[in-house]
Amino acid sequence: MIAADPLTSLALRARAGDAGAQAAFVRGTQAEVWRFTAALVDPGAADDLTQETYLRAFKALPGFEGRAQVRTWLLGIARRTCADHLRAVVRRRRLDARLAAQAWTDIPQQGDPAHRLSAADLLSRLGEERRTAFVLTQVLGLSYAEAAEVENVPVGTIRSRVARAREELVTAVAAAQAS
């Protein structure tokens, strides 16, 4: 067991059934979990994904032994919750596309009339692994080591994903400004 930070201590007390610690644990982590899910999926789904994350976390809390900080453990659960949600969305979209295939028309896609991209637009252009690494380190402020722990990959992989994400974002902004 590592030296417990305050949130990890709360989680361990919550695991033992302390209702006050359970509430304090949620209050202490909810904003970060919400920002993470909003960045990975979208702000409109973040409330539901945050709630699902806590449902999963409290179900898994008896197995949490405090060997890592609870923050990385919880964000790992949030990442898997988002991945499950996105898989379900993809399945629904494929079904919708098959059902609507006869009504489909080839209308050319128009670019953003204001030639502006929001942060969400830019992040949505990144692949899942690069987006997750970028959000963990650049938006939420986790260290590369903490992000590697959340993603269960080596630190070098996180560094590489963030570097590639930055390159893609710079290219996307440059392309938007040129058009």
Side-chain angles (χ1 to χ4, degrees):
M1 185 153 120
I2 63 168
D5 64 287
L7 289 174
T8 301
S9 296
L10 282 172
L12 293 171
R13 288 186 13 232
R15 181 185 70 180
D18 181 336
Q22 291 171 352
F25 170 66
V26 172
R27 279 192 308 273
T29 57
Q30 186 173 18
E32 187 170 49
V33 170
W34 188 93
R35 283 193 343 249
F36 185 55
T37 60
L40 290 185
V41 179
D42 85 51
D47 288 341
D48 290 340
L49 292 170
T50 299
Q51 183 176 7
E52 178 64 23
T53 296
Y54 283 104
L55 289 172
R56 291 180 183 194
F58 278 102
K59 186 175 182 179
L61 201 53
F64 178 69
E65 297 177 1
R67 284 186 244 159
Q69 290 187 356
V70 76
R71 180 181 190 209
T72 56
W73 176 80
L74 184 61
L75 290 174
I77 292 171
R79 181 184 56 78
R80 288 186 296 279
T81 300
C82 289
D84 291 347
H85 170 78
L86 291 172
R87 277 191 289 276
V89 167
V90 167
R91 281 193 303 271
R92 271 194 306 270
R93 285 184 183 157
R94 286 182 184 152
L95 177 60
D96 290 346
R98 282 192 301 245
L99 296 175
Q102 293 177 344
W104 180 257
T105 58
D106 276 335
I107 300 172
Q109 296 297 318
Q110 300 297 320
D112 180 8
H115 298 289
R116 289 179 286 132
L117 296 172
S118 71
D121 292 331
L122 288 169
L123 289 174
S124 71
R125 294 171 181 228
L126 297 174
E128 181 182 344
E129 291 176 340
R130 291 178 183 169
R131 180 175 55 244
T132 301
F134 187 84
V135 169
L136 285 170
T137 59
Q138 307 306 302
V139 177
L140 296 180
L142 267 67
S143 70
Y144 285 101
E146 290 170 323
E149 191 173 331
V150 169
E151 286 290 285
N152 197 27
V153 297
V155 173
T157 300
I158 293 296
R159 290 185 192 283
S160 173
R161 289 176 183 173
V162 170
R164 288 191 180 114
R166 283 184 182 138
E167 290 171 6
E168 288 179 35
L169 293 171
V170 167
T171 301
V173 169
Q177 289 175 338
S179 60

